[in-house]
Amino acid sequence: MAELTNELLVQTLQEKFGDQLFDMHEPYGLVTVTTTRENIIQILQTLYDDAFLQFQFLTTMCGIHYPDSKGQELGVVYHLHSLVHNVRLRIKIFFSEDDAVVPTATNLYATANWMERETFDFYGIRFEGHPNLIRILNVEEMEAFPMRKEFPLEDQTREDKINTFFGR
Amino acid sequence: MELAKQNSQIVTPDSYMQELTTLNLGPTHPATHGIFQNILQMDGEKIVSGVPTIGYIHRAFEKIAERRNFYQITPLTDRMNYCSSPINNMGWWMTVEKLLGVTVPKRAEYIRVIVMELARIADHLICNSILGVDTGAFTGFLYVFQEREKIYEIYEEICGARLTTNMGRVGGMERDLSPVAIQKIRDFLKNFPKVMTEFETMFNRNRIFIDRVENVGPITAERALNYGFTGPNLRAAGVDYDVRVMNPYSSYQDFDFEIPVGTKGDTYDRFMVRNEEIWQSLRIIQQAMDNLPEGPFHADAPEFYLPPKQEVYRNMEALIYHFKIVMGEIDAPVGEVYHSVEGGNGELGFYLVSDGGRTPYRLHFRRPCFIYYQAYPEMVVGTQLSDAIVILSSMNVIAGELDA
């Protein structure tokens, strides 16, 4: 079996998925690709089933919020790991805040269950088909999704702290 | 035969078999070592289903981190797995160093390895000795806690703190190993094996202990991988995945050590894997102490590493750098980085997205506890209540890491 390097991974991904993946780059030695939420489950499934690649370990998954990129505000970042080859892969999807629905990965990875609940809890991203999509770390009565950027950590009426000097 | 048939007609299965008891195990229960709630459906002593509720000590570290500069995030990482804070600290510094492109000198890396392995020993000691307490053996717990105290004294000598250490800096350590620290580590290396042997003699072949833990809460390698297990719990199931070997960081490739694996993934295997890892950690510390390189204990990176305080009063550049670092005005590049270390419980990952500002744009912690605790309901179904306690403590679920 050939050794899977990042170059070979990029090449294989391009052959397999073509236009479905875009914005392919390699920050700090970790291949990062972006795709659409329509394709994400099929891509994860193919990577899981592929006899050579074997991306069968979901390391982590988290939400991210870019309020300034209109129509693509919310995102989900998946970190996959091929334990056989010891190669990691990062896949991102972005979608609009108004329509934050993503298909679930729980059918593929049991571990996605709580990760998706956590992402829902903090970003309000709904995972379609999830068996039990309720809040996990925050109280159930909470109405907001606190990790979104519109919720500032500190009281915004404070005048003694100026953002220019003290950071965000 | 005829009589049995008649009886089965009188007593229908649903009249007696489905009488279930709901039991609230936790949130504050003396045997759960933390704030975990499990709503168990019990059929007599047997567990039929369990629903864990978590989040009782959620402190929103990921949100807080978005307003803290890099130096102010280490205290947050301390409070995740508070049984092995230095590993969390070092993992965070390595993530930042990867983002900033700082090369750490060899001596600092070796000191970090020593501290991280001490932390691993402390972490595993707590887990295994508490497992003893849960099965009714208090003595081992008291024995090894003396040695854990020695480890905390070493921390104290290195950084001044004991539990939440806030250790290290960007590019190395905040100070070199003092002669006292070196002496304490050497004493620990000399005295600890004796205590550990006694501890193992007490448990490893103890019939009462084995009866309580063998075949309790087993998990197959396939299920464990699907559930995202890492660390000793995964290795107990027979998968030799260890971040220290797969993606060596901080000069782990220099050391000669083995990865113990189990076969069944049950409580006994988890216990034995942790015990053996303690011996391997001792080996690593011994090698690191013997080959401790000379040289600086921090990188020559004045724009990231706090200058000595005396310099700040006398030297113009030092004052400027001191001010900029304290105010968080360092030039962090735009980018995203994932770095993981082998924590006490498994792969502890940091996913840091930087937009060039003084704080992270997004910081996500991959907490091993959070990820593998979701397998707990599956592992306790069909066992007895007392086994559920043993499984919980053998998985080493730390509330701080679970809830972040």
Side-chain angles (χ1 to χ4, degrees):
Chain A
M1 196 159 52
E3 198 189 341
L4 184 66
T5 55
N6 279 354
E7 293 78 44
L8 187 59
L9 174 63
V10 169
Q11 199 188 331
T12 323
L13 289 175
Q14 273 164 348
E15 278 167 19
K16 272 188 187 299
F17 303 110
D19 295 344
Q20 291 178 6
L21 302 177
F22 40 89
D23 195 19
M24 214 179 269
H25 58 303
E26 215 183 298
Y28 299 93
L30 210 154
V31 178
T32 305
V33 294
T34 311
T35 183
T36 56
R37 61 181 163 183
E38 286 77 23
N39 292 326
I40 181 73
I41 293 303
Q42 176 240 328
I43 287 173
L44 290 178
Q45 182 80 51
T46 316
L47 289 171
Y48 189 94
D49 293 336
D50 192 283
F52 175 60
L53 296 175
Q54 299 191 44
F55 279 97
Q56 295 180 351
F57 192 81
L58 180 63
T59 305
T60 186
M61 154 186 179
C62 65
I64 192 162
H65 189 205
Y66 290 101
D68 292 338
S69 63
K70 290 281 165 253
Q72 306 267 299
E73 290 99 345
L74 281 172
V76 178
V77 185
Y78 299 82
H79 281 85
L80 301 176
H81 196 172
S82 170
L83 290 176
V84 178
H85 300 284
N86 191 21
V87 171
R88 292 177 196 268
L89 172 65
R90 183 186 290 142
I91 305 182
K92 296 182 183 179
I93 48 174
F94 290 102
F95 40 86
S96 159
E97 224 169 23
D98 309 320
D99 177 31
V101 183
V102 176
T104 179
T106 43
N107 300 325
L108 209 52
Y109 304 104
T111 180
N113 191 324
W114 281 19
M115 294 182 189
E116 286 180 355
R117 276 177 70 185
E118 193 190 20
T119 313
F120 164 72
D121 194 353
F122 288 109
Y123 286 92
I125 298 168
R126 295 190 178 279
F127 289 87
E128 224 166 23
H130 189 285
N132 182 26
L133 195 66
I134 51 170
R135 287 190 181 270
I136 186 161
L137 290 175
N138 291 312
V139 287
E140 274 160 37
E141 297 79 42
M142 199 169 192
E143 281 166 7
F145 298 111
M147 283 291 279
R148 289 195 182 183
K149 292 285 179 190
E150 65 255 36
F151 296 103
L153 190 65
E154 288 181 4
D155 181 7
Q156 289 303 288
T157 55
R158 269 180 78 163
E159 284 173 356
D160 55 330
K161 256 187 146 181
I162 306 164
N163 273 359
T164 329
F165 300 141
F166 293 99
R168 262 193 282 276
Chain B
M1 186 66 200
E2 198 58 34
L3 192 69
K5 216 174 190 179
Q6 273 178 8
N7 278 347
S8 72
Q9 277 166 357
I10 299 161
V11 187
T12 55
D14 44 320
S15 69
Y16 64 97
M17 277 172 75
Q18 297 185 0
E19 189 79 16
L20 298 182
T21 319
T22 306
L23 182 76
N24 264 304
L25 182 66
T28 46
H29 188 279
T32 54
H33 326 296
I35 313 164
F36 310 105
Q37 188 189 21
N38 278 288
I39 304 164
L40 303 174
Q41 296 292 331
M42 312 272 303
D43 180 5
E45 270 282 290
K46 217 173 106 185
I47 297 169
V48 177
S49 73
V51 179
T53 314
I54 68 166
Y56 284 98
I57 59 162
H58 174 56
R59 292 145 296 174
F61 283 163
E62 291 181 6
K63 186 74 181 176
I64 295 173
E66 286 178 11
R67 250 195 101 94
R68 295 273 185 275
N69 58 44
F70 294 142
Y71 267 99
Q72 293 175 319
I73 289 170
T74 5
L76 303 180
T77 63
D78 280 339
R79 284 148 181 83
M80 284 203 295
N81 186 348
Y82 39 73
C83 293
S84 52
S85 313
I87 303 184
N88 306 352
N89 299 157
M90 298 310 161
W92 166 245
W93 290 131
M94 279 179 242
T95 314
V96 175
E97 281 152 13
K98 206 168 171 180
L99 178 79
L100 300 175
V102 176
T103 321
V104 182
K106 213 64 174 168
R107 185 177 174 89
E109 288 194 331
Y110 273 53
I111 297 175
R112 283 179 174 189
V113 165
I114 293 169
V115 174
M116 283 193 284
E117 292 308 317
L118 284 170
R120 195 181 317 284
I121 291 176
D123 190 278
H124 287 358
L125 271 186
I126 294 171
C127 175
N128 276 355
S129 58
I130 295 271
L131 181 63
V133 173
D134 285 342
T135 54
F138 210 89
T139 324
F141 174 72
L142 293 178
Y143 257 46
V144 299
F145 256 54
Q146 276 184 341
E147 292 306 305
R148 176 173 163 274
E149 176 64 26
K150 301 267 165 59
I151 295 177
Y152 279 14
E153 277 174 18
I154 297 169
Y155 291 172
E156 211 173 357
E157 205 55 55
I158 292 173
C159 73
R162 290 163 55 85
L163 189 71
T164 48
T165 47
N166 192 10
M167 203 185 273
R169 295 278 184 270
V170 176
M173 303 295 289
E174 67 269 47
R175 59 178 79 86
D176 206 351
L177 281 184
S178 67
V180 182
I182 289 177
Q183 189 52 45
K184 285 196 167 170
I185 296 169
R186 292 226 179 274
D187 287 348
F188 178 78
L189 285 173
K190 206 174 108 213
N191 299 329
F192 181 67
K194 205 170 126 254
V195 177
M196 192 59 204
T197 315
E198 272 184 63
F199 182 74
E200 284 201 308
T201 321
M202 187 169 166
F203 284 100
N204 286 7
R205 293 272 154 236
N206 185 328
R207 179 42 59 192
I208 305 167
F209 181 70
I210 291 178
D211 283 348
R212 278 292 267 114
V213 295
E214 205 180 11
N215 292 324
V216 169
I219 189 159
T220 60
E222 287 79 27
R223 281 312 279 166
L225 282 173
N226 205 252
Y227 265 122
F229 273 47
T230 41
N233 294 340
L234 179 67
R235 291 193 281 273
V239 183
D240 61 342
Y241 174 59
D242 189 321
V243 187
R244 289 176 291 174
V245 178
M246 289 281 260
N247 302 304
Y249 51 88
S250 197
S251 294
Y252 266 109
Q253 67 278 7
D254 295 1
F255 303 106
D256 182 24
F257 62 102
E258 284 159 18
I259 311 174
V261 290
T263 49
K264 286 187 288 192
D266 62 356
T267 302
Y268 187 63
D269 278 0
R270 286 193 280 273
F271 175 82
M272 293 300 278
V273 164
R274 284 206 170 83
N275 270 350
E276 187 52 37
E277 275 187 21
I278 291 177
W279 290 112
Q280 298 302 328
S281 294
L282 273 179
R283 259 177 87 183
I284 297 173
I285 300 171
Q286 187 73 56
Q287 291 171 47
M289 286 301 285
D290 291 347
N291 306 322
L292 192 64
E294 292 299 318
F297 58 94
H298 66 84
D300 182 24
E303 60 269 42
F304 308 122
Y305 186 88
L306 270 176
K309 196 69 181 173
Q310 297 88 331
E311 286 294 301
V312 176
Y313 293 128
R314 295 192 205 115
N315 188 324
M316 177 82 168
E317 285 76 21
L319 177 65
I320 293 171
Y321 282 131
H322 178 89
F323 183 78
K324 286 181 86 170
I325 291 168
V326 171
M327 296 301 280
E329 284 282 350
I330 58 172
D331 295 322
V334 181
E336 52 188 330
V337 50
Y338 178 81
H339 186 76
S340 60
V341 294
E342 181 71 26
N345 294 327
E347 179 173 342
L348 175 74
F350 298 85
Y351 174 49
L352 168 65
V353 181
S354 165
D355 64 344
R358 56 188 115 194
T359 65
Y361 186 78
R362 171 84 170 99
L363 178 61
H364 177 71
F365 303 112
R366 183 211 192 267
R367 290 114 51 205
C369 277
F370 176 77
I371 287 167
Y372 64 62
Y373 186 51
Q374 54 186 313
Y376 184 66
E378 192 178 303
M379 289 163 83
V380 296
V381 164
T383 62
Q384 301 200 330
L385 179 61
S386 51
D387 292 340
I389 303 287
V390 170
I391 295 169
L392 182 68
S393 66
S394 77
M395 280 170 88
N396 198 16
V397 185
I398 308 283
E401 192 172 71
L402 184 69
D403 293 342

